[in-house]
Structures are given as structure tokens and as C-alpha cells.
Amino acid sequence: MAIEDNLNAAPTPESTGTPPPLTKNQEKNEAKRKAKMEKFLAKKAAQEAKGAEATGNAKPKEKKTKSVPKPKDTFVNTTPEGEKKDMTLEMAGSYDPVAVESAWYSWWEKQGYFQPITDNGEISAKGSFVITAPPPNVTGKLHIGHAMGISIQDALVRWNRMRGVTTLFVPGTDHAGISTQAVVENQVWKQFGKTRHDYGRGPFVDMVWDWKHKYGDIIMKQMRRMGTSYDWTRERFTMDDMMTRATKETFVRLFDDGIIYRSNRLVNWCHRLNTSLSNLEVEKVEIPGRTMMSVPGYPSEEKFEFGVLVHFAYEIEGSSERIVVATTRIETMLGDTAIAVHPDDARYKHLHGKFARHPFVDRRIPIITDSEAVDMEYGTGAVKMTPAHDPNDYEVGKRHNLEFINLLNDDGTYNQNAGPYCGMLRFHIRKQIIEDIKAK
């Protein structure tokens, strides 16, 4: 019965496949959509018609051919060296520094324009202005820093020359012995895998002179290229015969007058260059604490301990008592010649004037008192003294007339003063001596 009733029922939109009737809101939205679409189609048709009309009336575009720039003529300087520049040539359409700057400087130099201008051989009544140019090192070519410094100096010289002042700007170069030697050694090693010792003193010195001639000439050309107003008749090199004689004369006079004298002093010794270095040439490194570092002259993979305070004890002569000191450079204890304590420190008053015994070399070490070098509140209050290897200890050694014992050979190994460690490298001793102290 249900089936029959359904068959006889009136058809619905779902059963006939026709969409359901729209609501009022839906009818309103549909009308808006159709209006927008009609407006869009009309606008598109108008644009297409306008484009077709423009295309029909437009002239065919001509293809533009790219203009090839005319090759610039290479400037050739035809002015003989030292002669005034030939200005009859046609002026270039654009600035060409080579064309503008060429030829002038050699003419200025030949004319002596940069030499001092005097009044019948006398300095101008307006005074004089002289700059001896700080001589650049012949270690290599000049860089932008040199250019800036030279430009400022030259501006001052030229300004004073224009004021009518008698001016002189003296050029020159510095041999920079250690730096130049290092540069040449590095080049020789890179190119040939050899050191200066493989060549010997004479041939290596010749190589350094070859370097000087090469880069000294380059530097002079760079200075001229800048247009600097040097008086080239006075050019100097710090190892010229005249300069060498003047240097020797100066030092002899200073020595004769008692201003300088010979004496033993602490130096910064470089065992790679086999020479001493000034304090300005030494780079100090601050470390926060225990640090493992590689050291020049040792295998790069080998690291050594720095920044660690090592405590060790000296035995008092004739007793079982010991006195504890501390150092960050334990290997220097082989050069100790005293132990300093504060004269007011009650802990050590019974040791004043006594001696300690060195554990590795046959040496008696006096116990001295020094209120300047020792701080009772710091560490153990006892300080080891190595006058030949520490600036502060050096001063103490002078005050107390201590023995100065040098431990180092020129090659960085320890000498016979180091006893059983003679011939070992310094930082290898640092490792070994700690083990040996522990063993005692």
C-alpha cells in the first residue's frame, strides 16, 4: 500500500530534477550578479573595439638600431720626460685621468718647483715650514692609509708655500729591519721552502736588498703619482751611508756624554727571528683563566697550559720545614735566586736570612725581605724571584744585589743553568717539571 501511495503521489521538485524556487533574498542577489556581469561584458567589448580602431590607424613601428659607441682613443703621451706638456692636442670630450695627469710631474720636478724658495739664499722673512715625511717601511706597497697621511702633509706644505713661506718636504723610506726581514723570510719559505739559514748571511742579505730596491722604487713611483710636492733632491733611505754615519755619530756622542750606557737589561727575545723585540712589537694576550694555546715554533697540534697558578714548596736548608710559593710560569723556577717575604709577616720572621735548597740544581736560595714586592695578604705571602726573566723580579734583584741567571739559548731551548733540563724547549719543560715536582 505504501508503494502504491507513493506512485500515485504528486511530483516534487526533487523527483522531477528541477531546482527549488528561490527565496526573495536569493532572487535579489542573483539580480545584482547578473547586472555586474552585463556591465563587465559591455566594458570589455568597448575596450576591444577601441583597440581594434587604434591598431587600424597606427603606423608600423620602426625598429631602432642600437648605436655603437665610438671607441675612445687611447691617450699616448708624446711629451719628452721632464719637458712641459704638449697642450696642442685636442681636448677629450670626457675626463681621462691619464691624459690630464701625465707629463706634468716630471716637468715640475725638473723645474725645481718643490725645492725651498729663498730670498737670495736666506729663509723668507715670513718664516719656514719643514716636514720630514714619516718614512714608510719598504715591507710592501703603499695603501690608502699612507695616501691619506701624505695628502694631509702635502696640503699643509702647499698652503705654506702659497703664503710665501720657505717650505721643505723631505721624502724617504725606512728599512724596517725586523719587519722587512720577516716579510722576505715568509716569501722565501712560500716560494722555495727554505729559511735564511739555508742561504747564509751574505746571500740572504742580498735578497733583502733586492726586495728593498723593488718596493722602494714602487713606493717612490706611488708618491710621484699622487703629485706630492717632495723635494726629491733630498730623498733619503734610513740605511744610506750618510744616514748610517749620522746615526753612529749620534750614539757615540750620547755615550760620551753619559746619556746612554751599556748594561744588562731584560729583552723580549724572539727565538724564531733570533733577535730582541721592542715592547711595541710584542702583542700581549689577556686570558680569563686556564687556557690551552699553541705556541710559535712548536707543532701546531701541540697545546700548552696558560693562566694556571701552580703552587710548589722549597725546603728550608737544615730543616724539614718548607715554604710554599706560586707561579703561572713554573719553568722559570730553574732561574730562581731568592724567595721574598714581607718584613712584617709574622709567619716568616724566623726564616729571615736563611736559605732554601733548589730541588733540581745545586743552588742555595736566600730568603729576603721586601715590602715593595710582597703583599702579605696575597697568596702564601712568599714570592719566588727570577730576576733574569721577570720585570718586577728584575727590580727586586737590583735592590738586593741578587744573582741574575739566564736560562734561555737563542733557539728557545734551556741552557746549562737549567741542570737536567738543559737542551729542552721551554714549554716542554713546563709539562715535565710539574711531573717531576709531583714525584718528589
Side-chain angles (χ1 to χ4, degrees), residues 105-275:
Y105 196 88
S106 61
W107 179 63
W108 294 342
E109 189 177 340
K110 185 178 179 180
Q111 295 298 310
Y113 289 148
F114 303 145
Q115 296 176 23
I117 300 174
T118 60
D119 295 335
N120 297 321
E122 298 294 329
I123 293 176
S124 169
K126 294 183 178 180
S128 63
F129 183 82
V130 180
I131 291 182
T132 300
N137 298 340
V138 291
T139 48
K141 301 176 183 178
L142 301 184
H143 51 66
I144 192 66
H146 291 106
M148 181 183 71
I150 291 171
S151 297
I152 294 172
Q153 296 159 27
D154 193 38
L156 292 172
V157 171
R158 288 176 178 271
W159 179 67
N160 279 282
R161 187 181 292 121
M162 293 169 67
R163 292 174 56 228
V165 173
T166 299
T167 59
L168 175 61
F169 198 7
V170 183
T173 50
D174 188 349
H175 64 284
I178 294 174
S179 299
T180 304
Q181 175 184 326
V183 170
V184 174
E185 282 197 81
N186 288 336
Q187 289 296 320
V188 169
W189 179 256
K190 288 179 181 178
Q191 293 181 15
F192 309 110
K194 294 183 178 182
T195 68
R196 70 179 190 276
H197 302 292
D198 296 323
Y199 291 96
R201 181 179 178 85
F204 181 75
V205 169
D206 291 340
M207 296 171 72
V208 176
W209 274 109
D210 290 341
W211 178 277
K212 181 269 170 188
H213 293 315
K214 176 182 177 182
Y215 282 94
D217 291 346
I218 291 174
I219 289 172
M220 295 301 105
K221 289 177 181 176
Q222 287 179 295
M223 289 176 170
R224 285 180 166 91
R225 187 74 177 80
M226 289 179 62
T228 315
S229 59
Y230 290 120
D231 180 1
W232 290 102
T233 64
R234 301 170 189 260
E235 179 191 347
R236 295 291 181 264
F237 175 56
T238 50
M239 288 189 68
D240 286 345
D241 289 340
M242 184 184 73
M243 304 297 287
T244 301
R245 289 198 307 271
T247 301
K248 290 179 179 177
E249 176 67 22
T250 300
F251 274 87
V252 169
R253 289 186 184 184
L254 292 172
F255 180 81
D256 290 342
D257 293 341
I259 298 174
I260 62 173
Y261 54 91
R262 296 190 66 177
S263 181
N264 290 323
R265 288 289 185 271
L266 293 184
V267 297
N268 303 301
W269 184 257
C270 177
H271 69 266
R272 294 188 70 185
L273 293 176
N274 236 19
T275 188

Side-chain angles (χ1 to χ4, degrees), residues 326-378:
T327 178
T328 57
R329 302 183 300 158
I330 186 64
E331 69 279 4
T332 64
M333 63 92 69
L334 296 168
D336 287 355
T337 58
I339 299 171
V341 297
H342 197 281
D344 299 331
D345 194 334
R347 293 173 295 178
Y348 301 117
K349 282 194 174 183
H350 67 291
L351 297 178
H352 293 181
K354 293 189 176 182
F355 291 83
R357 297 295 307 184
H358 200 288
F360 299 115
V361 293
D362 185 18
R363 187 184 307 149
R364 298 174 77 210
I365 300 177
I367 298 174
I368 63 173
T369 60
D370 194 298
S371 58
E372 294 182 39
V374 181
D375 180 358
M376 290 188 294
E377 305 301 323
Y378 182 76

